[in-house]
Amino acid sequence: MLEDSTPSFPDSASKSRPEPPQAARALGIGLCPPEEKAEALAVLYHRLSATTRANMIVELLRQESRGHLDLSGLWIAARKRRIVGAMLTQVLAGRAIAIWPPVIVRAWGAASLASCMVREALRVSEARGIRLAQALVDDSQPKQTGLDLTRGGLPYVTDLLYLGRPTANPLPVPPEIPNLEWQGYRPDRHDDFARMLERSYKGSLDMPELAGLRSLDDVMQGHRARGSFDPERWRLGFLPGQSEPVAVLLLLAGSESTWEVSYLGLAPEARGRGLGRRVLAHALDLTRPHAHRLELAVDVRNLPADRLYQRCGFHAFERRKVHLVVLGQPEPPLQDGSTIG
């Protein structure tokens, strides 16, 4: 799932931003100045009715003024001193950035302009030490959207399937499936969680392109920054009598009605024993007192996980295309198979 956190470009990075290449300068591409944000937002939401658009812009700027929203990742493209394109980006914890597809309001050269905006955002992000750039495209967006991202340097990788299940009814687990004993997150267990995450990435079919990309600290920062972190929603599962965990579960309270499985992983030696069902049953038990629904996402190439989720009563409700690129030189490899979305 797409990692979510409040974007914030450091002042020092802003001051040392490299000069844009000639193409970007010629097209007037850059981060939006504060005084032009209203006009940029009008471009971004130009498909809305005039009244709805005006009300939304007022509300977004009000939220930013109160510190509830950060629009520092708003990009614009201008021609003849008029904004003709806008694009929103968001810096995420763990040296990652989310990019939303550009919106262009003039048809002439729209595809070229959109890809140039993406390319320039990637160039600046890499200069600031960002390692991973990602974008999600849902089925309602035109085919051109994916082409713009790909031509701008964000190639298509796979699809994510989003599934959900009501929490009212417990998930039955056959008695022959081993039970698990659970421990919540504590600072002194940080390394245990990191090691278990690394073990669970081995042989993972979820986004193998991420293998070795980021350090485990970056990965854990990314998960921790999504929503309000509660250590009791992070769990390690142990087989009775064993000191090494075989399962990890990271839950996110997305809203009052819905929680989300941010990550679920098993150690390689624990797979094929039904323990995935046992972990999902525990996730539902934790969620039930607080939310009516539990959701998760899976790489469509991960057929065993998809089959498990559907056998456990999860039903697909959305599908999104993942565009992904690694920026800069890779660090020494660590098996990072975490899911975005």
Side-chain angles (χ1 to χ4, degrees):
M1 292 146 247
L2 196 62
E3 293 169 357
D4 185 18
S5 66
T6 302
S8 177
F9 288 121
D11 290 341
S12 59
S14 179
K15 292 174 183 176
S16 62
R17 189 176 72 175
E19 275 292 312
Q22 188 63 35
R25 285 202 302 269
L27 292 169
I29 295 172
L31 286 166
C32 184
E35 66 274 12
E36 296 182 7
K37 285 182 180 178
E39 184 182 352
L41 291 171
V43 170
L44 200 62
Y45 297 107
H46 76 100
R47 294 186 180 89
L48 300 178
S49 69
T51 301
T52 302
R53 180 171 63 248
N55 290 337
M56 177 174 285
I57 291 170
V58 169
E59 179 59 26
L60 290 174
L61 293 176
R62 180 184 293 121
Q63 289 186 31
E64 185 187 33
S65 68
R66 294 175 177 174
H68 300 155
L69 179 67
D70 190 340
L71 295 175
S72 63
L74 183 60
W75 287 75
I76 58 171
R79 283 189 177 131
K80 297 181 179 179
R81 299 184 180 179
R82 184 172 182 177
I83 296 176
V84 296
M87 179 179 70
L88 189 62
T89 66
Q90 184 180 53
V91 173
L92 308 173
R95 291 191 293 167
I97 190 168
I99 295 178
W100 280 262
V103 175
I104 311 297
V105 293
R106 295 290 182 270
W108 180 81
S112 175
L113 183 55
S115 61
C116 281
M117 292 186 75
V118 174
R119 192 175 300 113
E120 180 64 3
L122 293 177
R123 187 189 69 81
V124 172
S125 297
E126 181 175 352
R128 291 173 171 168
I130 299 294
R131 296 294 315 283
L132 170 68
Q134 53 197 22
L136 297 177
V137 179
D138 62 45
D139 291 338
S140 67
Q141 294 178 287
K143 183 179 179 181
Q144 184 62 43
T145 300
L147 294 175
D148 292 342
L149 291 169
T150 298
R151 290 168 180 165
L154 262 177
Y156 166 77
V157 173
T158 187
D159 281 16
L160 281 182
L161 195 62
Y162 293 77
L163 305 97
R165 180 194 192 278
T167 59
N169 297 321
L171 177 63
V173 181
E176 63 270 19
I177 295 178
N179 205 351
L180 290 174
E181 298 171 352
W182 296 95
Q183 292 182 4
Y185 178 88
R186 295 193 320 233
D188 61 332
R189 291 179 184 151
H190 180 90
D191 291 345
D192 294 334
F193 272 82
R195 284 194 299 269
M196 183 60 229
L197 280 170
E198 185 175 14
R199 290 174 65 205
S200 72
Y201 297 152
K202 294 177 181 177
S204 172
L205 299 177
D206 259 345
M207 299 300 299
E209 292 81 5
L210 295 179
L213 171 58
R214 297 181 294 169
S215 71
L216 289 171
D217 279 342
D218 281 344
V219 174
M220 292 185 72
Q221 285 179 25
H223 283 295
R224 186 165 182 162
R226 303 185 66 236
S228 58
F229 171 69
D230 184 340
E232 279 305 305
R233 297 179 192 140
W234 282 26
R235 297 290 181 101
L236 291 177
F238 297 76
L239 288 168
Q242 293 193 6
S243 59
E244 283 292 322
V246 295
V248 58
L249 171 66
L250 309 181
L251 283 173
L252 168 67
S255 70
E256 292 182 0
S257 61
T258 303
W259 277 24
E260 178 185 316
V261 176
S262 181
Y263 186 80
L264 185 161
L266 295 174
E269 69 273 14
R271 296 168 190 164
R273 303 171 61 181
L275 290 174
R277 187 180 186 94
R278 179 71 73 183
V279 178
L280 286 172
H282 184 61
L284 288 163
D285 291 343
L286 289 174
T287 305
R288 190 173 301 110
H290 308 281
H292 304 302
R293 182 175 170 84
L294 182 64
E295 295 179 353
L296 50 81
V298 63
D299 188 329
V300 294
R301 299 169 296 182
N302 192 349
L303 296 179
D306 186 22
R307 287 194 291 265
L308 167 67
Y309 298 145
Q310 299 205 38
R311 285 197 304 267
C312 292
F314 287 82
H315 299 285
F317 64 89
E318 190 173 3
R319 186 171 178 139
R320 295 179 184 174
K321 297 186 181 302
V322 179
H323 289 253
L324 180 78
V325 68
V326 178
L327 302 175
Q329 295 299 315
E331 295 175 344
L334 286 170
Q335 295 298 316
D336 176 0
S338 57
T339 300
I340 59 173

